[in-house]
Amino acid sequence: VTSGAETSADADVSFGIDIGGTKVLGIALGPLDEIVAEARVPTPTAPAHPDPVDAAGDTGVEVAYAIADVVAQLDAAVRGVGGSLGTGGSGSSSVGVGAPGMLDREGRLRFAPNLPQAHGVNWRVLIGERLPGRRIIVENDANLAVLAEHRLGAARGYQHVVMVTLGTGIGGGLIVDGRVQVGGHGFAGEIGHMVVDPAGPPCPCGRRGCWERFASGGGLGLMAREAALAGRLPEVVALAGGDPEGVRGEDVTAAAVAGDPDARRVIEQVGWWVGFGLANLACVLDPECFVLGGGLVGAGDLLLDSARRAFDELVEGGPTRPATAIVTAAFGERAGAVGAALAARDGGLG
Ligand SMILES: [Zn+2]
């Protein structure tokens, strides 16, 4: 718990919103950094449209309406508890928003492999039009997640942190000298698209062999389907209803937790790829702490131990280096929204 809020010129409650692949999640963060309200709506699906420019606008507008809906729900919830918080139910004058992909410093989405229909959308403008009178702060979701983990979560006390979100792909956020790094154009931390095998499997970004094709939940599914089609992983295939093509990462995790040695080997293989990437990142950034988040972390110690072993074996200088912590995220699916609320309170990433 930190106490910066009491001196903030803003309202006592800050709103943070995270635009996810399936849901728009919002939280209201109180003066003692406690989550006082939460709201969520499904992420609108892209309208079918022949013109890519207009389609981008349509998709962005729908998401902006969904965000306004979440803010209205948070306003109502905060009014409901306003007495106990002493806010008078004023809501939040600033709204922080986390969005996936490469955002420039104007809040425009330049590139998002997993959200191509929204390319070119200026989130700050679109969302601002739906929420007049409020200051809108838009940042990359992973940059906000690392802010939350650094300030309030698993990386408290460290000044040099890399957050790695192992979901469908890999998201990355960097803290150097206690501050979130966004790079020269806003695009720093796109660690999932470091190419680790130029002849590897194709990536939604248009290239081949990106780290996230090997070390994410999506990578786990890919490896497992390959093994299943080659006649291995019978128990995992059974979990997937008998169809090798239908095997998902979650099926492998479930079989591994139940003790299936084949599934455990696949998880360990993915863990090796995680550690391999962390060792490369350590060469560039020398963090004190890696925070691992995202659905793949649900595979537990099997994955983490394998990643730690690979990191120790592969990192330059090996045993001569001081230990680097590899920990799991504290905020789970709320990390982006909590970081967005912190950025709203601070007026940006600082
Ligand atoms: Zn890629």
Side-chain angles (χ1 to χ4, degrees):
V1 176
T2 62
S3 60
E6 279 162 27
T7 56
S8 167
D10 203 351
D12 292 335
V13 177
S14 306
F15 289 176
I17 317 278
D18 187 35
I19 306 171
T22 58
K23 62 183 179 297
V24 176
L25 171 66
I27 61 109
L29 199 67
L32 300 175
D33 295 330
E34 74 282 31
I35 295 175
V36 296
E38 184 174 315
R40 59 180 75 201
V41 301
T43 303
T45 48
H49 201 287
D51 184 309
V53 175
D54 285 345
D58 289 350
T59 303
V61 167
E62 287 181 33
V63 172
Y65 274 115
I67 289 170
D69 183 5
V70 166
V71 167
Q73 289 184 41
L74 292 175
D75 276 338
V78 169
R79 261 197 303 279
V81 295
S84 61
L85 280 173
T87 64
S90 59
S92 176
S93 58
S94 293
V95 177
V97 179
M102 294 167 66
L103 298 172
D104 66 21
R105 301 312 294 147
E106 268 62 61
R108 186 180 295 277
L109 181 63
R110 295 292 188 124
F111 187 63
N114 299 315
L115 197 65
Q117 68 272 25
H119 282 176
V121 161
N122 187 318
W123 288 122
R124 190 179 298 162
V125 170
L126 267 189
I127 296 164
E129 284 169 355
R130 304 275 110 52
L131 294 169
R134 309 213 199 209
R135 183 175 181 200
I136 309 299
I137 287 153
V138 183
E139 296 288 349
N140 170 272
D141 50 6
N143 291 346
L144 294 169
V146 76
L147 178 67
E149 294 291 343
H150 168 61
R151 194 81 67 80
L152 306 173
R156 259 181 307 178
Y158 294 112
Q159 297 304 302
H160 300 268
V161 179
V162 177
M163 177 149 186
V164 183
T165 307
L166 306 166
T168 307
I170 295 180
L174 315 175
I175 300 270
V176 175
D177 262 335
R179 297 169 76 93
V180 178
Q181 302 297 307
V182 300
H185 308 97
F187 307 152
E190 287 288 305
I191 58 178
H193 298 281
M194 299 186 300
V195 173
V196 297
D197 178 3
C203 181
C205 77
R207 298 172 306 153
R208 282 183 170 275
C210 292
W211 185 34
E212 71 171 38
R213 294 295 84 207
F214 298 91
S216 65
L220 172 61
L222 205 65
M223 259 178 232
R225 280 190 294 280
E226 234 170 58
L229 286 168
R232 301 195 301 276
L233 293 177
E235 296 193 24
V236 175
V237 174
L239 279 176
D243 177 14
E245 296 270 17
V247 166
R248 301 162 308 153
E250 298 94 292
D251 301 321
V252 187
T253 307
V257 169
D260 176 20
D262 291 343
R264 291 173 67 88
R265 262 195 296 282
V266 177
I267 301 270
E268 283 177 338
Q269 194 183 355
V270 172
W272 182 89
W273 278 107
V274 172
F276 170 93
L278 300 186
N280 281 344
L281 288 166
C283 290
V284 183
L285 294 160
D286 183 26
E288 303 159 282
C289 175
F290 287 104
V291 183
L292 306 186
L296 187 57
V297 169
D301 285 343
L302 187 60
L303 179 96
L304 284 174
D305 290 346
S306 172
R308 287 190 181 110
R309 268 200 310 276
F311 177 82
D312 289 343
E313 280 167 25
L314 297 170
V315 70
E316 185 198 10
T320 66
R321 300 172 75 100
T324 304
I326 300 178
V327 301
T328 52
F331 281 110
E333 65 164 5
R334 293 179 184 81
V338 170
L342 292 170
R345 183 197 286 166
D346 294 352
L349 288 176

